[in-house]
């Protein structure tokens, strides 16, 4: 409260931030959880996602100059546009920007015209005030992250992936216009907590993460290297070090958004399909170097399963390596898999591709599902149109002692209206009853 109740840059605010650093160092087990909750609240991205062209236009327009030209709109003979036509919206944005930048002498206005402008300025000042309050809140959250990092404790280091996720999902992509380079700087500072084995590459992984997510406010001097060259250099570095020894969970999780985006895009900044495949191969090698560590919950295990399923189904040239990685992941997490991690693979057995379903069922063979009484999706898999998949599902069902409740019908009927292989499985099951 001492931070949020004072103005940024004031003596009290600076003192409160220094106190956060001290407390996080002296009593991290008590301080860090409280700080994380506070930071998450301050950096809630919901208000940022609600900002539109009007709010951003008002923020960029000098005080005293209306962003919306009410005189022009009052003279127009067409109805008020709702912004559904992309070309019109683009033209209006360019026109407003041009009007805001004009420095011509103010023309003589009638009393009615002056009243319209004053009313618009008042509306826009209200918007600007709300954005100032939002900026203050976001800046306080960013400053608290910076103070926490300065404590240099193991607790703060372990939370770097969580903090990076909060920043990336909100103000890095949507709020940098309000905060400027400050947010980019703090985001890159988080990567200093990555393993020292990465040396100077730590910062470049942060920069690469910003670039693959197409963040606009990156300083120009950090974007001079061609993206394809940067990604190739970093991925080869990461593979080489991973082959020697896997990285800890905090480092791997911090790099995960970068890895995830490259895979989701099927390669980024590449000039040919072979270059894209090379990026995917390198990433799969990195993942496979870490599957032996996935018994540790600090690794992004659920996201890894999801990503591997995506690769198996969408990238045939590397699907074999992805299947091997998924089987290794399943074996590593079978004793400690959470319900969410189990559900990720169970739900993936709904995939329309036979080989994707097969890989997921194989990966689950050693899972402990005994705490579950009824798993309708797995029961549906027991009636897969592919015999091998059906056998794998039945073995999993029997070994975990699962049962079908008397009220099963309501859970099964919805599958009748979706993909063909699910329809077949549902009908086969209902026919056998």
């Amino acid at each position: 409260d001492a931070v949020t109740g004072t103005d940024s840059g004031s003596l009290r605010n600076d003192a409160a931030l220094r106190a956060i650093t001290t407390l996080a160092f002296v009593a991290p087990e008590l301080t860090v959880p409280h700080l994380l909750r506070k930071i998450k609240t301050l950096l809630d991205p919901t208000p940022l996602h609600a900002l539109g062209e009007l709010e951003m236009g008002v923020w960029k327009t000098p005080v005293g100059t209306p962003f919306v030209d009410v005189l022009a709109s009052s003279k127009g003979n067409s109805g008020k546009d709702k912004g559904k036509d992309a070309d019109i919206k683009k033209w209006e944005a360019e026109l407003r920007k041009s009007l805001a930048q004009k420095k011509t002498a103010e023309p003589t206005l009638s009393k009615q015209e002056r009243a319209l402008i004053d009313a618009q300025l008042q509306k826009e000042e209200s918007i600007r005030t709300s954005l100032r309050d939002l900026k203050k809140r976001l800046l306080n959250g960013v400053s608290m992250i910076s103070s926490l990092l300065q404590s240099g404790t193991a607790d703060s280091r372990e939370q770097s992936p969580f903090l990076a996720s909060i920043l990336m999902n909100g103000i890095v992509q949507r709020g940098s216009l309000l905060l400027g380079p400050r947010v980019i700087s703090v985001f890159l500072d988080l990567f200093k907590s990555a393993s020292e084995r990465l040396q100077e590459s730590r910062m470049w992984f942060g920069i690469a993460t910003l670039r693959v997510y197409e963040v606009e406010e990156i300083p120009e001097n950090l974007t001079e290297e061609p993206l394809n060259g940067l990604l190739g250099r970093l991925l080869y570095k990461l593979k080489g070090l991973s082959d020697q020894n896997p990285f800890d969970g905090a480092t791997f999780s911090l790099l995960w958004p970068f890895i995830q985006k490259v895979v989701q895009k099927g390669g980024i900044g590449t000039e040919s399909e072979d270059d894209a495949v090379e990026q995917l191969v390198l990433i799969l090698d990195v993942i496979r170097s870490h599957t032996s560590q996935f018994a540790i919950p600090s690794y992004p295990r659920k996201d890894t399963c999801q990503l591997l399923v995506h690769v198996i189904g969408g990238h045939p040239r590397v699907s074999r390596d992805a299947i091997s990685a998924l089987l290794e992941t399943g074996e590593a997490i079978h004793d400690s898999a959470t319900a969410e991690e189990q559900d990720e693979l169970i739900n993936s057995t709904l995939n329309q591709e036979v080989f994707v379903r097969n890989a997921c069922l194989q990966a689950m063979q050693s899972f402990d599902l005994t705490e579950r009484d009824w798993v309708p999706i797995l029961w549906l898999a027991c009636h897969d149109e592919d015999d091998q998949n059906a056998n794998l599902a039945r073995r999993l069902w029997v070994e975990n002692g699962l049962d079908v409740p008397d009220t099963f019908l309501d859970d099964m009927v919805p599958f009748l209206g979706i993909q063909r292989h699910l329809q077949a499985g549902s009908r086969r099951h209902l026919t056998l009853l």
Side-chain angles (χ1 to χ4, degrees):
D1 292 340
V3 174
T4 57
T6 56
D7 293 330
S8 177
S10 66
L11 292 177
R12 288 187 61 191
N13 185 268
D14 290 344
L17 292 173
R18 288 195 297 271
I20 287 176
T21 302
T22 302
L23 288 171
F25 178 78
V26 174
E29 67 284 350
L30 297 176
T31 306
V32 173
H34 174 73
L35 286 176
L36 294 178
R37 290 192 295 270
K38 188 68 174 179
I39 289 169
K40 185 176 181 180
T41 300
L42 291 172
L43 298 183
D44 177 11
T46 304
L48 289 172
H49 293 307
L51 300 181
E53 179 187 336
L54 174 61
E55 290 79 10
M56 291 294 93
V58 168
W59 182 258
K60 291 185 289 186
T61 302
V63 176
T65 301
F67 170 65
V68 177
D69 189 343
V70 289
L71 300 184
S73 60
S74 65
K75 294 176 183 177
N77 54 14
S78 60
K80 196 168 185 179
D81 179 66
K82 295 296 183 181
K84 294 182 179 179
D85 189 299
D87 292 332
I88 293 177
K89 282 188 67 176
K90 182 178 180 181
W91 175 81
E92 286 182 339
E94 293 173 349
L95 176 62
R96 289 167 181 166
K97 182 177 180 180
S98 176
L99 289 171
Q101 293 176 342
K102 286 183 179 179
K103 297 183 179 181
T104 55
E106 183 178 341
T108 303
L109 301 173
S110 67
K111 184 177 295 186
Q112 183 180 11
E113 290 173 331
R114 171 50 62 186
L116 285 172
I117 291 177
D118 288 345
Q120 183 61 31
L121 287 173
Q122 186 174 1
K123 291 179 183 177
E124 294 187 7
E125 184 56 31
S126 176
I127 293 173
R128 196 175 281 108
T129 299
S130 297
L131 291 176
R132 290 194 192 103
D133 292 341
L134 177 59
K135 177 182 178 180
K136 178 182 177 182
R137 179 167 66 79
L138 296 176
L139 189 58
N140 282 331
V142 171
S143 297
M144 290 176 71
I145 290 177
S146 183
S147 296
L148 181 58
L149 291 177
Q150 289 175 26
S151 68
T153 63
D155 294 74
S156 62
R157 177 182 178 275
E158 290 173 359
Q159 296 302 326
S160 292
F162 172 73
L163 296 172
S165 175
I166 289 178
L167 290 177
M168 180 58 71
N169 294 334
I171 61 175
V172 167
Q173 297 194 73
R174 297 283 299 173
S176 54
L177 180 63
L178 295 177
L179 302 184
R182 168 70 169 161
V183 62
I184 300 296
S185 176
V186 173
F187 180 80
L188 294 179
D189 284 344
L190 287 167
F191 283 79
K192 295 178 182 177
S193 64
S195 171
E196 293 183 356
R197 293 167 56 205
L198 291 170
Q199 299 176 335
E200 73 281 354
S201 295
R202 289 181 294 184
M203 184 188 73
W204 287 108
F205 272 107
I207 294 169
T209 302
L210 294 173
R211 293 184 66 180
V212 298
Y213 279 86
E214 300 179 354
V215 174
E216 296 180 355
E217 303 297 322
I218 309 174
E220 187 175 349
N221 65 306
L222 300 181
T223 61
E224 293 176 352
E225 184 176 2
L227 186 55
N228 186 31
L230 174 63
L231 298 190
R233 175 167 64 84
L234 293 177
L235 288 175
Y236 272 107
K237 173 96 170 181
L238 185 59
K239 179 191 181 305
L241 292 174
S242 299
D243 287 345
Q244 296 173 16
N245 199 28
F247 287 99
D248 59 272
T251 296
F252 188 83
S253 297
L254 190 59
L255 303 181
W256 181 253
F258 161 73
I259 292 171
Q260 188 177 44
K261 179 60 72 172
V262 174
V263 174
Q264 288 173 344
K265 291 287 188 178
I268 293 179
T270 56
E271 298 178 355
S272 67
E273 182 182 352
D274 287 343
D275 289 342
V277 169
E278 182 181 22
Q279 289 184 357
L280 297 181
V281 169
L282 289 169
I283 286 175
L284 289 173
D285 286 344
V286 169
I287 292 175
R288 294 192 67 180
S289 294
H290 288 82
T291 54
S292 61
Q293 304 298 306
F294 281 0
I296 305 172
S298 60
Y299 287 86
R301 308 186 305 185
K302 175 178 175 291
D303 289 344
T304 299
C305 291
Q306 184 182 63
L307 198 69
L308 291 172
V309 170
H310 167 78
V311 175
I312 294 168
H315 301 280
R317 291 178 61 179
V318 295
S319 62
R320 181 172 296 182
D321 288 340
I323 290 173
S324 297
L326 184 64
L327 298 184
E328 292 167 6
T329 299
E331 181 61 30
I333 71 175
H334 75 275
D335 281 336
S336 59
T338 64
E340 285 188 350
E341 291 164 349
Q342 292 175 354
D343 285 340
E344 185 60 45
L345 288 176
I346 292 172
N347 293 337
S348 294
T349 63
L350 297 175
N351 193 284
Q352 62 182 351
E353 300 292 348
V354 173
F355 58 89
V356 174
R357 305 199 299 275
N358 183 270
C360 294
L361 288 166
Q362 286 193 62
M364 289 190 291
Q365 286 304 298
S366 56
F367 274 26
D368 181 2
L369 304 177
T370 54
E371 294 186 3
R372 298 171 179 249
D373 296 324
W374 165 231
V375 187
I377 294 177
L378 186 57
W379 180 241
L380 186 63
C382 291
H383 302 85
D384 194 297
E385 61 183 0
D386 180 85
D387 291 339
Q388 184 181 13
N389 288 347
N391 290 334
L392 287 170
R394 289 182 192 127
R395 182 190 305 163
L396 191 58
W397 187 273
V398 172
E399 289 182 355
N400 284 277
L402 300 176
D403 199 5
V404 181
D406 295 335
T407 58
F408 74 94
L409 193 58
D410 290 341
D411 294 325
M412 300 303 299
V413 170
F415 296 108
L416 290 172
I418 51 180
Q419 298 171 3
R420 183 178 301 173
H421 74 277
L422 297 180
Q423 292 177 0
S426 298
R427 288 170 181 155
R428 186 179 297 111
H429 165 59
L430 296 175
T431 300
L432 293 173
L433 297 176

